[in-house]
Amino acid sequence: FQERRRNFIRKIQRVASLAVAMEDPWAKHNIPSTCPAERVIRHIYDHKTNQWSSDETIVKIQKEPFTNGAMRHCYRMKKIATPPKHSSNHRFHSYGWSHAFNYVAKAYLVDDGTNSVDTSQEAKNAVFNDVVLQYEAAHWAEKFNDADPPRKIDFIRAYAMEFPDRPNSPVFAVERFIA
């Protein structure tokens, strides 16, 4: 067990060092200087208690989607990590948008041919349900992984992100961008 743990830690350290050394794959889109900062409410689901919690943070999101499907638009978004509640570390606050994490924000479309973001209560509920389903799938993947299969399954953590300062407070499904 200890040897597996040491190997796992070495792999994580190697991957982390590679990730730190990587350039931002979205640098060419210049999101930090072309998009205004917006206040958002991040809704986080706890699958163990079936409860939602919320916090506020700031994001920068492109105004135009970079792609879309039949039901949703996808936007590039940057979010600075939320500082710890006890944080007085000035280094944490000096990173700025150039070190912000990349996210994909998905918004449901109005089904009227206008290609606009759906801000109806039905669309907002659908986003929250999407997040719950993501966590339900992650739970079952964890159960599957407990059987030590040859290839493990993992799911990306998802959030519901509300934009309270936009008209009708749209809600987007958000997950980290994986290059």
Side-chain angles (χ1 to χ4, degrees):
F1 174 75
Q2 292 292 28
E3 183 61 29
R4 281 181 71 188
R5 186 171 189 265
R6 279 193 291 275
N7 286 337
F8 177 75
I9 289 171
R10 279 195 292 272
K11 285 179 184 178
I12 292 293
Q13 289 171 333
R14 187 171 33 110
V15 169
S17 66
L18 289 172
V20 168
M22 278 180 53
E23 287 189 33
D24 179 1
W26 287 355
K28 65 185 174 193
H29 302 291
N30 204 14
I31 296 168
S33 59
T34 60
C35 301
E38 294 185 66
R39 178 177 69 99
V40 295
I41 301 170
R42 180 175 61 164
H43 300 280
I44 305 161
Y45 182 70
D46 183 338
H47 73 281
K48 292 178 180 156
T49 63
N50 294 325
Q51 298 290 312
W52 289 90
S53 62
S54 300
D55 62 7
E56 284 194 15
T57 190
I58 298 172
V59 300
K60 289 191 174 202
I61 184 170
Q62 290 184 315
K63 294 293 180 198
E64 298 299 320
F66 69 92
T67 192
N68 64 284
M71 297 172 52
R72 296 190 288 189
H73 280 311
C74 294
Y75 299 84
R76 289 182 187 92
M77 184 179 86
K78 293 229 175 230
K79 183 180 92 56
I80 294 178
T82 306
K85 288 184 175 29
H86 62 283
S87 177
S88 61
N89 184 341
H90 296 289
R91 209 168 16 148
F92 178 88
H93 298 286
S94 67
Y95 280 157
W97 290 104
S98 62
H99 291 86
F101 293 113
N102 294 328
Y103 286 81
V104 175
K106 301 172 187 175
Y108 279 99
L109 301 171
V110 176
D111 190 20
D112 64 1
T114 63
N115 256 359
S116 58
V117 172
D118 191 345
T119 60
S120 69
Q121 191 58 50
E122 185 178 271
K124 292 175 185 181
N125 290 344
V127 169
F128 282 93
N129 287 337
D130 289 347
V131 172
V132 170
L133 286 173
Q134 186 103 351
Y135 277 95
E136 186 69 20
H139 167 75
W140 287 108
E142 190 177 306
K143 294 281 188 199
F144 175 79
N145 293 340
D146 286 346
D148 200 27
R151 301 203 41 106
K152 302 216 184 273
I153 299 172
D154 198 9
F155 280 81
I156 300 170
R157 188 171 187 176
Y159 311 99
M161 194 81 70
E162 180 181 354
F163 288 76
D165 299 325
R166 289 188 181 186
N168 300 319
S169 301
V171 176
F172 291 60
V174 174
E175 55 191 39
R176 287 283 296 269
F177 172 73
I178 298 178

